[in-house]
Structure formats: C-alpha cells, structure tokens
Amino acid sequence: MASAALTPPALIGRSAELAFLDRHFDTDLASGAALMLTGEPGVGKSALLDAAAVRTAAAGFQVLRISGCPFQRGVGFSALNQLLQPLADGIPALPARQAETLQAVRGLSEEQPTELLAIANAVHALLALTAAEDGPVALIVDDVAWVDRSSATVLGTLARSLRVGPITVLGASRTGDESFLSSIGITEYEVQPLDDVAANELVSERFPAMTARVRRRLVAEARGNPLALLELPVPLNSLQQTERGTLPAALPLTERLKGIFSTRVAALPDATRKLLLLAVLDGSGELHILQRALGAPDGLAGLSPAERAGLVQVRGGTGRLEFRHPLTRSAVMELSTSEERRWAHRALAAEFPEGSEHRARHLADAAVGPDDQVAALLHEVAYSTLRRGDAVGAISTLLRASELSGSGTAKARRLAEAACLGANITGDLRNVRALLDNAGHADPTGLGSLAAATAAASELLNGEGDVDTAHRLLLGAINTHVWPEDGETVEDIFREALNTLLLVCFYGGRPELWRSFEEVVRRRRPPTSRRLLPLILGTFADPAYGALPFLDRLDHLISGLHQQTDPVRVFGLGLSASYTDRLPGCRSALRRVVDDGRDGGAVALAIQAQFLLANDAYASGQWDELLEVTAEGLGWCETHDYRLAASTGHFQRGLVAAARGDAATAREIADRLVSWGNPRGLGALRVYAAQIRALSALGGADFDAAHRLLRALGTPGEVPHFAPQALWPLLDFTEAAARTDRHEESAAHVAAIRKSDIPSISPRLAMVTDAAEAMSVPDFIDHDLFEAAIATPGAERWPFDWARICLAYGERLRRAKAGGAARVHLDAALGTFERLGAAPWSARAADELRASGIPVRHLEPAGSELLARHTLLTPQERVAAQLAATGLTNKQIAARLFLSPRTVAAHLRSVFRKLNVTSRGGLRDALTGPVR
C-alpha cells in the first residue's frame, strides 16, 4: 500500500481546507464519495493531497496515489498501473477473467487488454476486495488532467460507479482543465490563495532573515500563491533579501515559476509582448503613455491577444491597464532581451519632461556605460527620494549614480554620500568602511570630503565612541566645505554632518564641544528657509537658556508632524521635544520611524526614535512599555553595531531598575556606563550613571550618597550652559540637599533655576520647581508651593514626579502633626508608587502612613477592577474622593486640601460620574482596597 513515509510540513493558513477534507474522509460518510480540488497553478493543491494522504492513513484508510504526468499522457494505462502496482498481490484472488484482464493491463500477459468497461469492473473488484480485507480505501489522484486517456476512461467509469463500499476518491486539477472527473457531476472544492496573514507567516518561517519590507513586496507579487511565495525568494541574494541590495522592478522567476507564468506570454505575438514590456517598465498603467512610447496611433491594438489570454485587463472605471497576476510582469521581463529592455526604457524616458524623476530612472536603466549627465540627474533623484522618507531607495540610487559616473571624483563623492546616509539613517554601519574604501580607490584625494568625513565620524562615534577624533574630523570637513559643491544638491549631507556633530557634542558632554557646534551653526548655515538646527541647538543642546524663544515654533512644527514623511526631520523635532517635555506630541510620528526601521528602512533613526519614545514612557509612568521599547532598540544596536547609541537605552533601563528597587541591576548598568564612557571622554555617560545611582540611593533613603553623586555633577546655584541632562535630576538634588540639611545649597539651586526661567519651559518643570522650592525651606511648610505643585494641570501625565511631591508634602505634614492631611497625600503617593512598581518608594510612603497611626491600604495588582477604577480619576479627584469616603464634608475637605469648597464639589461631581456612584457610601465601596 502506498502511504506517506514522513509527515509533510505543517500547512500554514489551510485549517479550513483540512477540516473540509477530514469531513470528506469520515469513514461513516465517505462510502462512494468523490471530490475534486481545483485552483490556479501553485495554489497548494498537491500539498493538500499530501496532507490528506497522511491524515487518512492515520485514520485507518489504505492510501493509493496516482499522479498524472504530461510526458506519459500518450502511454496507455500508465496512470492505472500506478494504482495496480501496490495491489498486485491481491490480483490472483480475483475471478480468473478479471485477474487476467488486470495482468494484461500491467503488461504481464500476452493477451491484449479487453474493453475498458471490463477493466473498470476488474479494478473496482480489486479495490472492493482490498477494502474488505484491509479497511477503507482512499484513492488520491494528482494532476488529473494529465492522466493518460485510457486510464482516465477507466477511472472515470470507476468514479461514476462508486455507490457502495468504503472507497473514496480525491482528485486535484487546475481550474478550467478538462479531466475524467470534470463531467461526472462530482463535488468540486476550489482552493483559494493564502490570505496576507498566512502568506507573511509562510515566508517568515521559510526565510527568517528577510526584512519585512522585502517580504511584503513578495507577498504582494505572489498574491497568496504558495508556490510563488516559496520560489520568489530563491533567485534573490542575501543583500536583496535584507534590503541592502536593490530589488528589480519585476522579480525574477525560477524555472518552476517560469513553467507556470511564462508559457502563455511566450505564445503571444511579438507586438503584444513589446507592448506588455513597456507596460511593465512604466508601471503606471496609463494607456496614453504606452501609445506615445510605441509611436503608432493603433499600437494599443496589440493588447487584444493578451486580453483574450486573460493576462491583462483594462479597468472600466480608471481606464488603466492591469496585469491579472503580478508574476505575469515577471514573465514578460524574463522573456525579453537586454536590448529590448533598453529600447523600452529609452522610449519611456522620452515621454517625461527634463528633470523628471521618471525620466532620470529610465535613462539610467537604459545606459550601458558611464554617463555623467544621467549620473547627475540620478544624484538629484536620490535626495528627493530621501526626503520622501525612503532612505534605502536613496542609497540604492546613489550607488547606481556612482556606477554611471565617468570621473573618479564624482564616483568617490557618491559612494561617500551613500556611506554617510547608511551610517546615519539606514543602519549600514558595517558597510561604511567598504564604501569608503571603494571611494578611496576611485579618488584617493577625496577622502576629506564632507560626506566621507561624516561617514567616518559616525563609524568612530557609534563603534568605538571616539568622540574627540570624530569631533576633529567633522569640524575640519565642515570648515573646509565649499557650498555649493559642483552645483549638485548636498544640503542633506551637510545636515547629516551637523546632526553627527550634534551627537558628538551631546555624548561628549563638554561645554567647549557645544560652543564649537554653536559657532559652526552660526557661520555655516545651509541655504534653506526650513532650518531646524538653530531650534535644536536652543531646545536640545541648551534648553535652560535657549529653549524659550523657540517654543512657539516648536509647538507649531510638532502639530504638523502627522504630515511629515522625512524621518530625519521627525527625529530632529523629537530631539527638540525631549528636554522641553513635548514628546507626547511626537509619539505617532516617532512610531512611524520605528515601524520603518522594523521594515528594513531607516534603522539608525529608528533606534534613536525608540529611545526618545522610552524617555516619554519613563516620564509618563509607562515603565513596562519602556522596557519593551528599549529591549527592541538595544537588539537593533547589537545587530548593527551601534554601541554608543545603546548607552541611552541602558540608561533608561537603569532608571527603571533604580526606581523599582532592583539595586543590583541599577548598579551593574551604572558601572558599565562608567567603565565604557570614562576612557573615551563620554561625559554624558558619567551623568547617566550618576543619575541612576542617585535615584537608587534616594529610593533607599540614603540621602548623603545621593547628594554626593549629584553634587559632583555641578555647582549649586549655577545652571550651566549646554547641560540638558541637568533638567532631569532637579527634584533629586533638591531633595538630597534638603534631607541632609544643606538647605542653602538647595535654595541656591532653586534660585538659579528660577533666574533662568526654566519653569516657563513646561508645566512639569514648573511643578518640580515649585516642589523643589518648598522642599528647600527648612523652618516651615510652604503649603502654597506644595499645593501649587500637586495641583499642576495635567500632573497625572508625570505620575512618578507627582507621587514624589505628594510623599515629600505628606512627610512634612506628618512631622508637623497634621496627620489627617498627611495621610491624604501619603495615600495618594503610595497608590501611584504601587501602580508603577516603585517598591522602595512605596515602602517609604507606607512607613510614613504607619507612623501616622493608620492601617496601610494598597491597590490590587495591575489589571484588577479596582486599579481600573482608580486610574479613571485625576490625582486631586482621587484625594478628594478618599476624604469624602471617610465622611468629611466639602468644607472640611477644602480645609484639609487648601482648596475652595466649590472646587471640592466640582471634583466630587466628576468622581461620582466616573465611578458611576450616587452617594458617599458608594464611594467607600468603589475605593476600598484590601488592608495590608
């Protein structure tokens, strides 16, 4: 008996089809049943037959396989012999006449086979005997249309005569093919192409290294055809599969796919194939372009044979030409010669105006050798492609322009620009050295160019973190750069040079580096009216002193980010927003940059966008999300060798570890940052490490250690220029100084902050400044400042900072014997800390509450109904509701919270609506949590 020796691979996206086949072979229902699978070539019919063979064998069927073959269609009974061979031992048990008939069919008798009806009866008898002795029989026939004529007649007769007995037939044939099962009225089941989800899963499983963008291209071309999905990647090299190499306009076909899609194209008249080639290379489907390119008024008549063959159609609504299957385009390309393709590109180029991107690309594809004019056109196209957000396409275009460059200088310049964009945008850091070496071979004198210097500086900075060498290299190239360069567009390269210098200065963390950057921006501004560099310099490099004049413009630009396609510009605005507390407005745009990186696009920018989103997640208390975001970003850093950029992700994870009380992880991260950053002069990493260690010390109430760490970063009473990180630990230093009785230092620090008008930058900075000033007062509780900080509009957007302020206020109130008011703020702090998972801070708040003489309550774990109810409320609503639940009147609550009774009433109305309660007794039920 024929049966599968090995289980075939699990079929993806075929659960419905397999369930249908299982029902067909149900032993209680399958007697006399026949079923035909139909579908387009390569859709997976044979795979389903293989799966059915395994499943039916496991269910107790005796599986018999027949496969039609086009080369044996003229050989009589060739298919029938595939059925008889495994049943040969049972033939002698048949009546003598039937046994002789089957032996004749097998060619083992001198007699000639008798009439076909007798043969069909003998086969039926043999199958019935087999079923009686060994169980039900499943006859599976693949490629039914290619079964030889005599076998087809016998099998057709057999299928029509299945009335009784456990014999079941399953066949498969292409849609529209005539076969012995086509006209006998049996059930047909059309196998559909895979949906997009299953198609992506199939390609991902078989080709895991392929980038998402390439995978989507293949899925779109294959249209769910499993054979095409598995065959299309085969001709692609590793660079093309990972989108480091250019994909052709029409994907190449393997021999198996050619056999499916090229046959009908090859049968078309030459004029029709010529017209289809123009349509493939044009890609727009516009008939008027094809007609003009042909240069004949009746040229479109050549479409008729292709339309009749079902290869193309003209849409009635749009009037555009469409290929019914994308792989037909590939077949057209496969069947054309190189000269035919060059002719088509030249003809199409003539239909587009001078300066057109389409014209430039067609001329480049038609070129057979160096052509400086076309190379220059392609160079401009590369940067228009970059500004549309397709950095990978821009680099591919630059590399093609370098191939067409006649002079070594032009070739080297374009190779260097490709290296620069690769290092700074697409994540091709590992390819930078090879591109620069090729540029050096093309023009040994050109390695001092701005593009080459920027690429080399990026390699140094992101690889070994050599800040000083990268700084010297960039400054020298920027200061000697001639603008414009040979009349070609290099504004984007100048922008990348300054962006790289910006990161050099940030990670270097030294004022003299920033001053050199400021001087460069002042003297070497690129000729464009849309400069972001002065804005970035003010808001990111020196926010304490430079942000305020730019905030209105920054807000305006952020409001338009939803329309922005240039990932470099999105990243620049994200930097500007990072220290001015405007990252929430950049979230969607930054996520688009990240998605582009996931798809194999601008990976280097996606890494930076990930860490900007992580900054936002930390400030907004989305710490679990931060850990997910940084895990992906750090994985990219490791894959693409971005060692310095990874330090920001480690810093963010270190902050969360410190805040949550994971002292060992926080210490390990801080030590790693210092050990790698100090030998390289990376001052930012030293600040990162100090902030992690100080936060860990504050959580554990080790205020002396926290003060020592933060005091080493600056002088109290001074807010240094070009120290953006100084805005983050503002609350940390003030608390550490105040809790170690260094009130003068704390007051001086707050005074310097107010003098530089830092609170005007954002509500968060105003909130922490008020709180810091209140903390720095040694002799009394400044209720006004504490209450102003706690009541900051939108304070819930910064839960960790807000809870720390509530804790500080509650601590002072308790020590002043104002236990009732203290409990309100301490309880609010405790609830927030617990939701964040900030264990050491929760412990501090809980200790204070216990000292106030009340049982400590806490919220149930995240995801509970109680937590969901609490998160509906703003911080002030939550505090007012908790007091109201104890039975206090609005007037009493107002006195406790230093609010007006009218404000308390407004808060409670909002609470009642959000919690869907109608009484203060209902508040108790809605807010009560288990006592710890």
Side-chain angles (χ1 to χ4, degrees):
M1 291 298 172
S3 101
L6 296 174
T7 301
L11 295 182
I12 293 172
R14 292 303 190 194
S15 56
E17 289 85 350
L18 292 173
F20 186 86
L21 292 176
D22 287 342
R23 290 193 296 273
H24 174 72
F25 285 104
D26 188 303
T27 53
D28 294 331
L29 304 174
S31 296
L35 173 68
M36 171 73 90
L37 300 182
T38 62
E40 66 181 31
V43 79
K45 301 181 296 297
S46 296
L48 285 169
L49 293 184
D50 291 340
V54 173
R55 296 161 82 94
T56 53
F61 279 80
Q62 309 303 309
V63 180
L64 303 171
R65 301 291 301 266
I66 295 176
S67 182
C69 176
F71 304 109
Q72 292 186 335
R73 292 187 71 180
V75 180
F77 298 113
S78 59
L80 190 58
N81 268 289
Q82 296 179 47
L83 171 64
L84 297 177
Q85 182 62 35
L87 302 178
D89 291 343
I91 292 176
L94 295 174
R97 185 59 185 162
Q98 290 181 332
E100 290 174 2
T101 296
L102 294 184
Q103 295 290 34
V105 169
R106 297 180 65 209
L108 300 178
S109 170
E110 293 182 0
E111 291 189 19
Q112 292 299 314
T114 59
E115 61 183 20
L116 295 178
L117 180 59
I119 296 172
N121 290 334
V123 172
H124 188 276
L126 180 61
L127 292 176
L129 177 64
T130 301
E133 293 180 351
D134 300 316
V137 173
L139 176 56
I140 297 178
V141 188
D142 198 1
D143 290 322
V144 169
W146 290 343
V147 171
D148 64 276
R149 183 182 297 274
S150 53
S151 295
T153 303
V154 171
L155 292 172
T157 303
L158 176 67
R160 283 193 297 270
S161 66
L162 291 178
R163 293 292 183 270
V164 293
I167 303 171
T168 304
V169 177
L170 175 64
S173 186
R174 296 180 181 181
T175 300
D177 283 351
E178 294 295 326
S179 70
F180 69 88
L181 293 178
S182 300
S183 57
I184 62 175
I186 69 170
T187 302
E188 291 191 0
Y189 183 95
E190 184 172 4
V191 180
Q192 299 295 329
L194 296 175
D195 60 29
D196 285 348
V197 174
N200 274 286
E201 183 182 351
L202 177 61
V203 179
S204 298
E205 179 185 278
R206 300 296 180 89
F207 304 93
M210 184 181 294
T211 61
R213 185 175 297 187
V214 176
R215 184 171 65 249
R216 282 204 304 271
R217 167 79 186 279
L218 265 63
V219 168
E221 294 278 331
R223 283 195 183 171
N225 186 295
L227 178 63
L229 290 167
L230 296 175
E231 291 284 317
L232 282 175
V234 173
L236 304 181
N237 58 40
S238 59
L239 291 178
Q240 289 173 322
Q241 288 197 27
T242 56
E243 211 172 3
R244 299 295 176 250
T246 305
L247 287 177
L251 296 175
L253 301 180
T254 62
E255 292 302 319
R256 292 181 69 187
L257 291 178
K258 286 180 185 177
I260 294 174
F261 291 97
S262 298
T263 305
R264 286 188 290 172
V265 175
L268 296 173
D270 288 344
T272 303
R273 287 171 50 193
K274 189 175 183 180
L275 183 57
L276 292 183
L277 179 60
L278 285 171
V280 170
L281 296 179
D282 172 51
S284 70
E286 296 289 350
L287 293 178
H288 64 89
I289 294 178
L290 304 181
Q291 187 174 42
R292 291 202 307 266
L294 280 173
D298 59 346
L300 294 182
L303 282 178
S304 298
E307 289 184 277
R308 283 193 291 269
L311 298 176
V312 297
Q313 63 182 348
V314 177
R315 283 286 183 188
T318 63
R320 288 190 173 90
L321 179 69
E322 293 182 357
F323 287 86
R324 290 187 179 271
H325 199 290
L327 293 184
T328 303
R329 298 181 304 171
S330 297
V332 171
M333 290 291 288
E334 291 282 350
L335 293 172
S336 65
T337 66
S338 59
E339 178 52 38
E340 286 173 336
R341 291 193 290 272
R342 286 193 294 272
W343 163 83
H345 280 300
R346 287 192 296 268
L348 290 168
E351 299 308 313
F352 294 97
E354 293 287 344
S356 162
E357 178 176 337
H358 292 293
R359 178 183 177 85
R361 292 194 183 278
H362 282 304
L363 289 175
D365 288 332
V368 293
D371 188 323
D372 285 325
Q373 184 178 4
V374 174
L377 292 174
L378 214 55
H379 185 273
E380 294 179 4
V381 166
Y383 286 101
S384 63
T385 302
L386 177 66
R387 295 178 198 118
R388 289 200 304 268
D390 185 5
V392 172
I395 292 175
S396 298
T397 305
L398 278 173
L399 293 176
R400 177 58 178 152
S402 72
E403 294 171 356
L404 294 174
S405 300
S407 70
T409 299
K411 180 184 290 290
R413 180 171 64 249
R414 287 157 185 154
L415 287 170
E417 290 177 15
C420 173
L421 298 182
N424 282 15
I425 299 178
T426 65
D428 290 333
L429 194 62
R430 292 168 296 180
N431 297 330
V432 166
R433 181 47 45 198
L435 288 172
L436 291 180
D437 287 345
N438 291 339
H441 292 314
D443 181 15
T445 65
L447 288 180
S449 73
L450 185 60
T454 302
S458 293
E459 184 184 30
L460 285 169
L461 183 67
N462 292 296
E464 289 302 318
D466 190 346
V467 165
D468 292 327
T469 304
H471 186 258
R472 287 195 300 272
L473 191 61
L474 282 169
L475 274 187
I478 291 172
N479 287 327
T480 59
H481 173 68
V482 177
W483 190 281
E485 184 175 311
D486 296 343
E488 293 190 358
T489 303
V490 291
E491 177 186 327
D492 295 85
I493 294 298
F494 195 87
R495 179 178 67 172
E496 290 310 316
L498 291 176
N499 285 344
T500 305
L501 184 60
L502 181 84
L503 295 178
V504 166
C505 297
F506 174 79
Y507 283 111
R510 302 195 297 273
E512 63 272 18
L513 299 178
W514 282 116
R515 282 192 286 271
S516 66
F517 180 80
E518 190 176 36
E519 177 64 16
V520 162
V521 172
R522 185 183 64 81
R523 292 189 299 103
R524 305 288 295 170
R525 291 178 178 177
T528 174
S529 60
R530 298 183 299 167
R531 291 188 305 272
L532 284 182
L533 284 167
L535 181 145
I536 295 173
L537 185 62
T539 56
F540 175 72
D542 195 14
Y545 294 98
L548 289 177
F550 292 101
L551 292 181
D552 288 343
R553 184 184 175 210
L554 177 60
D555 290 335
H556 173 71
L557 292 173
I558 289 175
S559 69
L561 268 178
H562 63 284
Q563 298 176 327
Q564 185 57 246
T565 60
D566 184 352
V568 178
R569 193 169 176 84
V570 171
F571 170 60
L573 289 173
L575 283 182
S576 300
S578 56
Y579 289 109
T580 57
D581 295 318
R582 284 160 169 78
L583 278 173
C586 304
R587 287 172 186 162
S588 59
L590 290 170
R591 286 175 183 139
R592 289 201 308 272
V593 176
V594 172
D595 288 341
D596 182 56
R598 290 185 180 126
D599 291 346
V603 174
L605 288 180
I607 291 171
Q608 302 287 358
Q610 286 278 46
F611 295 152
L612 287 173
L613 287 170
N615 280 344
D616 178 54
Y618 179 77
S620 61
Q622 306 299 314
W623 292 354
D624 291 335
E625 180 181 334
L626 178 149
L627 296 177
E628 293 177 8
V629 166
T630 53
E632 183 178 24
L634 290 172
W636 285 346
C637 287
E638 183 175 356
T639 299
H640 296 277
D641 295 337
Y642 282 83
R643 299 178 64 190
L644 183 56
S647 63
T648 299
H650 289 306
F651 163 62
Q652 292 158 340
R653 295 176 75 86
L655 284 179
V656 171
R660 286 182 163 173
D662 186 356
T665 299
R667 182 169 55 252
E668 187 272 331
I669 291 175
D671 290 346
R672 185 194 312 171
L673 291 172
V674 169
S675 64
W676 198 75
N678 280 357
R680 294 168 173 81
L682 298 170
L685 272 58
R686 179 173 61 87
V687 175
Y688 282 168
Q691 290 180 2
I692 292 171
R693 290 167 172 164
L695 185 61
S696 187
L698 287 170
D702 188 352
F703 302 109
D704 282 317
H707 177 268
R708 183 174 63 256
L709 289 163
L710 296 172
R711 180 67 174 78
L713 298 181
T715 303
E718 294 182 8
V719 178
H721 282 277
F722 301 111
Q725 299 100 325
L727 299 186
W728 281 1
L730 191 159
L731 203 59
D732 298 354
F733 178 79
T734 305
E735 181 178 15
R739 292 296 292 265
T740 56
D741 295 327
R742 295 177 172 90
H743 298 288
E744 291 184 0
E745 287 188 9
S746 178
H749 192 55
V750 172
I753 289 168
R754 291 210 181 274
K755 183 178 180 181
S756 60
D757 207 10
I758 288 174
S760 296
I761 295 176
S762 75
R764 186 191 70 84
L765 288 170
M767 177 180 75
V768 297
T769 301
D770 285 343
E773 184 172 350
M775 290 181 189
S776 67
V777 178
D779 299 325
F780 70 98
I781 302 174
D782 194 327
H783 295 286
D784 290 340
L785 284 173
F786 270 121
E787 291 293 342
I790 291 172
T792 298
E796 64 273 9
R797 290 179 291 170
W798 311 287
F800 187 50
D801 287 337
W802 181 84
R804 288 179 61 184
I805 296 168
C806 289
L807 174 61
Y809 191 22
E811 288 172 336
R812 284 157 177 76
L813 289 170
R814 187 190 67 77
R815 286 160 176 73
K817 310 302 182 183
R823 291 166 195 161
V824 172
H825 297 293
L826 292 172
D827 193 51
L830 175 61
T832 302
F833 289 142
E834 287 189 332
R835 287 194 297 276
L836 293 172
W841 299 86
S842 297
R844 280 181 55 182
D847 289 344
E848 289 290 332
L849 276 169
R850 291 190 188 96
S852 71
I854 63 171
V856 176
R857 297 180 179 272
H858 73 99
L859 295 178
E860 294 177 4
S864 70
E865 183 181 352
L866 180 60
L867 176 56
R869 290 198 299 269
H870 274 261
T871 56
L872 288 173
L873 307 180
T874 69
Q876 278 208 342
E877 288 172 350
R878 192 159 49 245
V879 173
Q882 288 164 340
L883 289 175
T886 66
L888 295 180
T889 66
N890 287 4
K891 187 174 181 179
Q892 291 170 324
I893 295 171
R896 292 275 187 102
L897 300 182
F898 302 96
L899 299 172
S900 71
R902 179 177 299 176
T903 301
V904 172
H907 284 325
L908 291 178
R909 283 195 299 273
S910 178
V911 169
F912 281 19
R913 176 177 52 80
K914 290 180 179 180
L915 300 185
N916 195 27
V917 296
T918 58
S919 68
R920 297 193 178 211
L923 280 180
R924 284 193 297 272
D925 295 333
L927 297 174
T928 300
V931 176
R932 181 176 60 190

